[in-house]
Amino acid sequence: MVIKPMIRSNICINAHPVGCAKETEKQIAYVKAQKAKRGIKAKAEGGKGPKTVLVLGCSTGYGLGSRISAAFEYGADTIGVSFEKQPTQTKGGTPGWYNNLAFDRAATAAGLKSSTFNADAFSDECRKTVIDELKSWGAKADLIIYSLASPVRTDPDSKVLYKSVIKPIGQEYAGAALDMMTGKITHAAASPAEGDEIPNTVKVMGGEDWERWIKQLKEAGVLAEGCRTVAYSYIGPALSHAIYRDGTIGEAKKDLEKRAHAIDASLKELGGAAYVSVNKGLITRSSAVIPIISLYLGILFKVMKAKGTHEGCIEQMERLFAERLYTGQDGAAATVPTDAEGRIRIDDWELDPAVQAEVDKIMPSVTEENVSTLVDLEGIRHDFLAINGFDVEGVDYTKDVADMSSIDA
């Protein structure tokens, strides 16, 4: 069958197997080029960077970018966990399924160990599987990336299913919403959280599960001396704070940051550390449906590209590794620069006052008549499609896909 993107209200509900694989391979090629440019030594070359890396939420976005950076810049063996819909010959799977397949294939070809588990990372059963795998390798993890994003989580103790929401707190949040595919601008609103929606969101997206992972890995004796762990967060500009930083997701991220300090203290006896990295705003499957966000990002991308500072997922994660986490001799872990609250800031270029001032100046003047001029409509549209394997260079989208479970053209 010929696969075309199926889009409903800024949500793409299908994926192209070959396109997803090509996009993953493109990110791998970028990291390899950066390795050569920076002169970074991989593990097999005597490098002192990460050697055994666990990525929780490894299939897309920052998690995938982290895994690619660890493996193809530093030569690390990696274990990845994500929960994906598996395809059949006639029915498609999630983008992450194809991304994982492409990563594992490339890692094997490069002589790197790579195990990917399609499992519920919130479960203790999954933790045991990962621990057993590390022990079978005879290895200890020296870096754990926590990049899980899910609408639901079942508590391992109570077995209660909790659901997260993206809502403001206390009052309605409203503003312009941009349809990336058509350029149409509408008014969108989000009602405030009610009942248990705030604590439930914290339960799903906060730091409780991250803390449980590190505790069980440590107790099992599979954390290396000097082990580091990093979780991801977002702050963003003032205009988005009501729906994000000061909303339900923001409460979860504040919990994540609070627990980072407790995790950090628990790793001190190993000479390790825990960090939250605050990253730049990007088009993702969730950000695309939040009021104002897609319009803001479209303007932001336009401004940052003009300044030469725009980054996608893979560029940010490569910079996080090379310019924050592993800056010592031969890629060794060194002192990590943080803000006053101990957070790594890779959103520094986004929140540059000059960038934000320009975005603030443009935002009120955008209309449907000038949207293609003031907004990087082509750029955010490409990013949105590429997440699902569409609009990727080198893919023939007119070609019949005979097997939906294969990433070969």
Short mmCIF file of all heavy atoms in Angstrom, two decimals, residues 24 100 148:
data_model
loop_
_atom_site.label_atom_id
_atom_site.label_comp_id
_atom_site.label_asym_id
_atom_site.label_seq_id
_atom_site.Cartn_x
_atom_site.Cartn_y
_atom_site.Cartn_z
N THR A 24 15.85 8.27 11.59
CA THR A 24 16.76 7.80 12.65
C THR A 24 18.19 7.72 12.11
O THR A 24 19.14 8.14 12.78
CB THR A 24 16.30 6.43 13.16
OG1 THR A 24 14.99 6.55 13.71
CG2 THR A 24 17.24 5.90 14.24
N ASN A 100 13.25 2.29 16.89
CA ASN A 100 14.03 1.32 17.67
C ASN A 100 14.67 0.27 16.77
O ASN A 100 15.82 -0.13 16.96
CB ASN A 100 13.14 0.63 18.70
CG ASN A 100 12.79 1.53 19.87
OD1 ASN A 100 13.44 2.54 20.13
ND2 ASN A 100 11.74 1.17 20.60
N LEU A 148 10.72 9.50 29.95
CA LEU A 148 9.39 8.92 29.76
C LEU A 148 8.33 10.02 29.68
O LEU A 148 8.34 10.96 30.45
CB LEU A 148 9.05 7.98 30.92
CG LEU A 148 9.90 6.72 31.05
CD1 LEU A 148 9.47 5.92 32.28
CD2 LEU A 148 9.78 5.86 29.81
#
